[in-house]
Structures are given as C-alpha cells and as structure tokens.
Amino acid sequence: KPDLSTFSHFDRMVMKAAMKIPMGRVTTYMALADAAGRQKAARATGSVMAKNPFAIVVPCHRVIRSDLSQGGYFYGTEIKRSLLEAEGVKFKGDKVDKEFVIEIHG
C-alpha cells in the first residue's frame, strides 16, 4: 500500500476509493467523488487522479468521464485506452462500453 499520510484528507479518500476499482472495470470521476464522500467534487477528483504518484497501485486509468469517454491521463489517452483494453475493457467507438462501468463505495 502506498504511504498517503502526506496527502489531504480528501486526496487520501479519493485514492483509497480508486484502489477498490477492480481490474477490467472502470468508474466515473463523479462516482469516485461520491465514494470519497464528496458527491459533487468530480472535478476535484479528476485533479487528484491527475497528480496521482502511485499510478500502478492507485489505478487512475480506470476512472472515466460520466459520458463514458475516457477523459485525460498523464501518459496520454492512447496509453490509457491500451491499459484498459489490456485489462479486458471494451469500447464502442471512443466510449467505454457501459457494461464495464461499476459503482464503488467508500
């Protein structure tokens, strides 16, 4: 487990919630914010994921936009899509197939 002690309470909650997203599944920034206890903080959640220094352990590539588009990724959207596809996530055009989207709980 990564040492999250230097992060703000909100950042820690977001990262802990993100670690619950199983391989081969995704959740939305909004659902992740909700799981972290701040239902309307989707943008702030995106910022936490953007500065995530533990990309392997805290799988920020598994967090997508509410419209099922993949959203940004530090290493680029092509790599994000490749990582998701390698985990078995399917796309319909440029959107994640909704059958791979899950809700997580804090």
Side-chain angles (χ1 to χ4, degrees):
K1 276 189 165 183
D3 179 8
L4 303 177
S5 64
T6 60
F7 293 89
S8 73
H9 176 73
F10 176 68
D11 288 9
R12 280 194 310 273
M13 298 307 292
V14 169
M15 289 195 212
K16 285 179 181 180
M19 286 190 279
K20 295 179 179 181
I21 308 166
M23 183 180 285
R25 296 289 180 254
V26 297
T27 197
T28 65
Y29 292 104
M30 187 177 297
L32 188 59
D34 191 31
R38 297 226 353 240
Q39 184 177 14
K40 297 186 179 183
R43 281 183 176 266
T45 297
S47 294
V48 172
M49 291 290 91
K51 64 184 181 187
N52 170 20
F54 308 110
I56 301 298
V57 181
V58 179
C60 50
H61 67 283
R62 296 181 190 148
V63 186
I64 64 170
R65 296 172 49 119
S66 294
D67 69 358
L68 304 185
S69 63
Q70 63 183 16
Y73 188 59
F74 179 82
Y75 300 103
T77 55
E78 290 176 11
I79 293 201
K80 183 173 183 174
R81 182 173 177 141
S82 293
L83 288 168
L84 292 172
E85 288 177 333
E87 293 182 3
V89 174
K90 304 281 188 231
F91 285 75
K92 288 187 175 180
D94 62 349
K95 310 258 179 163
V96 172
D97 187 323
K98 65 184 174 189
E99 77 176 75
F100 295 92
V101 180
I102 62 164
E103 294 291 321
I104 56 168
H105 304 284

